[in-house]
Amino acid sequence: QPVAALPYTTGFEAADDRGWYCLNGHNGWFVDNRLDSTANYALYVSADSGANCTYALSGHPSVSYAFRTFVLADGEYELVFDWMCKGELNSDYMRGWLVPADFVFRADTLPNGNPAHLSSSYWQQSPEGWIDVAGGKLNGQNSWQHAVGNFDVDSAGTYNLVFMWVNDNTQGQAPAGVIDNIELRMAPCPQVDSLVLVGATETSLSISWTAGGSENQWQVTANGSSVTVSQPQATIVGLQHSTAYVVEV
């Protein structure tokens, strides 16, 4: 599949990227504008090729995957998307993951190789090496929800951003899974708090600060020269006395 560039956005409209690959079981993913009266396009699950955002149940357990490929450096990323899904408790739901691109998806088959009717396997857990980017299962909502979350990529490489739909064959409610207005980008650096000067000599100065988020590395710059540190403190040496310096973290 062709690789999408970052920062990435799509609302699945005519002018947006629609290069998502859909590997569908009986209830599959489709990009269409028949979700509601607005005629806006979205990515949603349907049992009738996109005519309705409903899914078949009796005799039709299903697993379907929609994914887009990205090449990601190591670092922190921000994912934003809108979603809607009623489904059923721990049986009919969506999950969102970042998955190494060499994993081979199979329609109507869960990530561990189990059949679709064992859908409760993944309402809580994630496969080893997969990054949960959606905060667990997505269901129980028949109106639009707005998701914003950060995740870490520890190893640079090629990944698929995937949304999985799964249902068993008992009961459930429409709408099935719906995804729209996806944004993926490197997370902006949080602003540190309480940056203070804790000591100085004629040729050096020491500073400290409080982390602004969950970051664990900082770039400290003094008049254009930078150093990366892993503690919220730094000593800058080699300075000239009676000279003004601009220090940034």
Side-chain angles (χ1 to χ4, degrees), residues 7 70 91 151 158 166 189 231 233 237:
F70 299 88
S91 298
F151 61 90
T158 305
V166 59
C189 293
Q231 297 293 327
Q233 59 190 32
V237 299

Side-chain angles (χ1 to χ4, degrees), residues 1-238:
Q1 186 190 37
V3 173
L6 292 183
Y8 176 82
T9 64
T10 186
F12 298 102
E13 302 301 324
D16 293 331
D17 175 61
R18 293 180 178 173
W20 286 68
Y21 186 84
C22 298
L23 184 65
N24 288 334
H26 185 85
N27 300 302
W29 291 101
F30 296 89
V31 174
D32 213 319
N33 67 343
R34 291 179 284 182
L35 178 65
D36 55 34
S37 61
T38 66
N40 292 327
Y41 282 84
L43 174 69
Y44 58 91
V45 172
S46 174
D48 52 15
S49 301
N52 296 279
C53 186
T54 57
Y55 61 105
L57 286 166
S58 180
H60 296 297
S62 182
V63 183
S64 296
Y65 303 92
F67 56 92
R68 194 73 172 90
T69 306
F70 299 88
V71 175
L72 303 180
D74 58 335
E76 186 178 10
Y77 290 81
E78 181 181 64
L79 177 65
V80 178
F81 62 95
D82 295 329
W83 69 274
M84 179 167 47
C85 174
K86 190 62 176 177
E88 180 203 1
L89 293 175
N90 303 327
S91 298
D92 305 350
Y93 55 87
M94 297 185 293
R95 291 294 305 267
W97 286 298
L98 193 72
V99 181
D102 59 357
F103 182 85
V104 178
F105 300 101
R106 290 187 292 161
D108 284 339
T109 304
L110 292 162
N112 61 2
N114 284 341
H117 73 273
L118 299 176
S119 61
S120 60
S121 302
Y122 285 104
W123 74 270
Q124 206 169 23
Q125 69 181 42
S126 295
E128 183 177 357
W130 293 25
I131 301 172
D132 179 7
V133 298
K137 70 181 175 73
L138 303 174
N139 68 354
Q141 302 291 337
N142 57 9
S143 61
W144 284 110
Q145 308 296 306
H146 186 63
V148 180
N150 287 17
F151 61 90
D152 292 320
V153 173
D154 295 327
S155 180
T158 305
Y159 293 88
N160 286 318
L161 174 62
V162 57
F163 289 99
M164 179 186 78
W165 164 261
V166 59
N167 66 270
D168 64 6
N169 58 351
T170 56
Q171 58 184 343
Q173 298 180 50
V178 188
I179 299 290
D180 203 1
N181 301 320
I182 300 171
E183 301 177 30
L184 176 63
R185 54 182 168 261
M186 290 289 292
C189 293
Q191 183 174 339
V192 302
D193 297 321
S194 305
L195 177 61
V196 295
L197 176 68
V198 296
T201 70
E202 288 189 345
T203 59
S204 68
L205 60 85
S206 297
I207 57 174
S208 70
W209 58 90
T210 301
S214 60
E215 76 273 18
N216 55 22
Q217 286 189 325
W218 297 266
Q219 185 178 62
V220 181
T221 302
N223 279 23
S225 297
S226 298
V227 62
T228 299
V229 298
S230 56
Q231 297 293 327
Q233 59 190 32
T235 297
I236 302 167
V237 299

